[in-house]
């Protein structure tokens, strides 16, 4: 699925923009994406329950705290999308100051404050889960959001810039905001206080592995591929071949995440339900707020979609790693982080389809059609 697959008309939608028409053109992999994701979640849970010691074995395969299976899945997932980015167009994104400022405000002011509020409203009597959710709210997404944005036909170049911007702020601000929301602000409000022991290197390492490696690989692929074959051949021949691997990587990552935490999820169903409520509210409010803000600022559909998904997504890999390092692998804080992708994955997949249904209500940015008609990059 790609907004590069066909040209759109600025200021209005063509008949081809009808969601049902677009959906009919999708590959089998794309069309039944919710089914595959649901199957991957179930498969992960069953594997975690059926194979004794699997979660410990998977957890043991890591280097300096980074799970190699999860890292592998995320790298495979992100590379094809980042190889599609036209890096020569990034200046058009960095020149869009309203979008950049809006993204920073949504991610680093609204997001953490909203999660802090929801955690205290819904989990006032469960301090461990409450703290875990606040940590989730501080970890802005730098990985899976690339997939959600691409599936919803958002602006790939804008997503690359916003994710890179979030990664820089994440290294600088994660520890500061953790201290503010877990210690300083609760102290001002007369609420119980927590401490968060996390080093800037731990955050930087997550950014370097989960974003730096696929971003560099995607950039080099685009640069070398265009130089050797030309842009048209690169986009018509190479991208359709690697395209499906983004979703293969996503499904593999989901299986591993749920296999690692299958016991905790299935053994604590009521706790999972309690944690799920504020997460559902958070994703809906952040995504909806991003869409409303994009509409109010007169943004195109593509950039509004990117703004909304980068605001709604969270870096659960980082949140889980921080919670485990600070509070322990069996802690309630870690469980709250684990429940995150359980809720985020199906909700944001659903919001992909909601986004596509809203496309006719927004102007569209013109795109140069490179891929042949009816050719999906995931086909």
């Amino acid at each position: 699925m790609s907004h590069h697959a066909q040209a759109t008309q600025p200021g209005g939608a063509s008949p081809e923009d009808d969601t049902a028409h677009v959906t009919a053109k999708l590959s089998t992999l794309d069309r039944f994406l919710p089914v595959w994701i649901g199957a991957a979640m179930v498969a992960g849970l069953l594997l975690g329950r059926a194979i004794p010691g699997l979660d410990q074995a998977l957890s043991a395969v890591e280097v300096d705290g980074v799970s190699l299976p999860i890292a592998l899945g995320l790298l495979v997932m992100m590379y094809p999308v980042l190889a599609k980015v036209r890096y020569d167009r990034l200046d058009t994104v960095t020149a869009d100051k309203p979008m950049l400022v809006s993204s920073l405000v949504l991610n680093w002011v609204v997001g953490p404050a909203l999660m802090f509020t929801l955690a205290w409203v819904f989990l006032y009597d469960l301090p461990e889960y409450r703290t875990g959710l606040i940590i989730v709210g501080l970890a802005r997404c730098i990985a899976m959001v690339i997939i959600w944005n691409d599936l919803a036909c958002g602006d790939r170049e804008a997503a690359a810039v916003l994710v890179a911007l979030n990664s820089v702020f994440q290294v600088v601000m994660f520890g500061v905001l953790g201290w503010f929301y877990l210690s300083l602000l609760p102290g001002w409000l007369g609420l119980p206080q927590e401490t968060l022991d996390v080093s800037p290197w731990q955050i930087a390492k997550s950014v370097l592995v989960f974003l730096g490696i696929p971003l560099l690989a995607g950039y080099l692929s685009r640069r070398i591929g265009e130089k050797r074959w030309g842009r048209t051949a690169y986009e018509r021949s190479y991208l359709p071949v690697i395209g499906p691997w983004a979703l293969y990587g996503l499904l593999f990552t989901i299986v591993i995440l749920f296999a690692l935490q299958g016991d905790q999820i299935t053994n604590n169903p009521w706790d999972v339900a309690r944690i799920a409520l504020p997460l559902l509210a958070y994703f809906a409010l952040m995504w909806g707020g991003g869409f409303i803000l994009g509409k109010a600022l007169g943004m195109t559909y593509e950039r509004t979609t990117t703004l909304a998904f980068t605001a709604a997504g969270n870096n659960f890999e980082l949140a889980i790693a921080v919670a485990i390092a600070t509070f322990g692998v069996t802690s309630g804080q870690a469980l709250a982080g684990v429940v995150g992708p359980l809720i985020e994955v199906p909700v944001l997949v659903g919001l992909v389809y909601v986004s596509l249904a809203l496309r006719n209500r927004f102007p569209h940015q013109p795109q140069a059609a490179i891929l042949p008609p009816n050719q999906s990059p995931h086909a």
Side-chain angles (χ1 to χ4, degrees):
M1 183 189 303
S2 171
H3 65 272
H4 295 299
Q6 62 184 26
T8 55
Q9 298 178 357
S14 64
E16 286 75 21
D17 283 326
D18 178 76
T19 303
H21 184 66
V22 172
T23 303
K25 289 184 176 183
L26 299 182
S27 68
T28 301
L29 183 64
D30 284 331
R31 191 178 303 121
F32 296 102
L33 180 62
V35 176
W36 311 138
I37 286 179
M41 294 167 69
V42 172
L45 290 173
L46 291 177
L47 281 174
R49 296 283 292 179
I51 303 178
L54 177 63
D55 53 346
Q56 290 90 345
L58 290 173
S59 298
V61 187
E62 61 180 35
V63 175
D64 198 21
V66 177
S67 169
L68 289 184
I70 291 178
L72 175 64
L74 290 173
L75 295 179
V76 172
M77 176 185 78
M78 293 177 68
Y79 165 69
V81 179
L82 291 171
K84 297 171 189 173
V85 171
R86 291 186 180 174
Y87 293 91
D88 58 346
R89 293 187 63 247
L90 295 186
D91 59 335
T92 66
V93 180
T94 56
D96 189 347
K97 297 300 188 292
M99 186 188 66
L100 295 179
V101 172
S102 298
S103 180
L104 287 175
V105 170
L106 284 172
N107 275 284
W108 297 103
V109 178
V110 177
L114 177 61
M115 189 68 91
F116 175 85
T117 303
L118 292 172
W120 274 99
V121 168
F122 285 92
L123 302 172
Y124 60 90
D125 58 335
L126 298 170
E128 289 191 0
Y129 298 154
R130 185 178 66 235
T131 298
L133 276 194
I134 292 172
I135 294 173
V136 167
L138 301 177
R140 313 314 299 169
C141 195
I142 61 171
M144 286 190 179
V145 68
I146 296 285
I147 289 289
W148 310 137
N149 177 75
D150 202 51
L151 291 170
C153 300
D155 187 319
R156 287 194 188 113
E157 289 70 35
V161 170
L162 295 184
V163 164
L165 192 63
N166 275 339
S167 70
V168 173
F169 267 76
Q170 196 151 257
V171 174
V172 176
M173 297 301 298
F174 188 93
V176 174
L177 289 176
W179 166 74
F180 178 78
Y181 281 107
L182 292 175
S183 182
L184 186 62
L185 183 57
W188 288 348
L189 300 175
L191 302 172
Q193 298 169 272
E194 288 277 3
T195 57
L196 188 63
D197 181 20
V198 57
S199 69
W201 166 239
Q202 187 175 4
I203 312 303
K205 179 178 59 182
S206 173
V207 169
L208 287 172
V209 171
F210 296 127
L211 176 62
I213 293 175
L215 184 60
L216 178 62
Y219 172 77
L220 292 177
S221 292
R222 167 70 70 170
R223 188 172 181 85
I224 296 171
E226 287 190 359
K227 185 175 181 179
R228 176 172 295 183
W229 305 315
R231 172 167 291 178
T232 300
Y234 175 81
E235 298 203 356
R236 284 182 173 172
S237 301
Y238 182 66
L239 293 185
V241 172
I242 65 170
W245 284 93
L247 295 185
Y248 299 155
L250 172 64
L251 296 176
F252 175 80
T253 303
I254 291 171
V255 170
I256 296 300
L257 277 172
F258 283 78
L260 280 169
Q261 305 294 342
D263 279 340
Q264 288 200 64
I265 292 172
T266 54
N267 289 337
N268 302 279
W270 175 241
D271 290 348
V272 169
R274 286 285 306 268
I275 298 168
L277 288 175
L279 284 170
L280 286 169
Y282 174 84
F283 294 132
L285 290 171
M286 290 299 293
W287 181 89
F291 245 81
I292 291 171
L293 182 57
K295 182 70 170 178
L297 293 174
M299 292 184 186
T300 62
Y301 167 79
E302 291 79 10
R303 291 199 173 172
T304 297
T305 297
T306 301
L307 180 67
F309 278 100
T310 51
N314 289 86
N315 186 352
F316 288 106
E317 301 80 28
L318 174 61
I320 293 169
V322 169
I324 290 174
T326 306
F327 302 102
V329 68
T330 60
S331 65
Q333 291 88 342
L335 178 60
V338 167
V339 174
L342 175 72
I343 307 302
E344 179 189 31
V345 170
V347 169
L348 292 192
V349 169
L351 290 176
V352 165
Y353 289 91
V354 175
S355 298
L356 292 172
L358 295 173
R359 290 195 305 170
N360 292 344
R361 301 178 181 272
F362 288 80
H364 289 259
Q365 59 195 42
Q367 299 286 348
I370 296 294
L371 293 173
N374 302 334
Q375 175 66 64
S376 165
H378 298 319

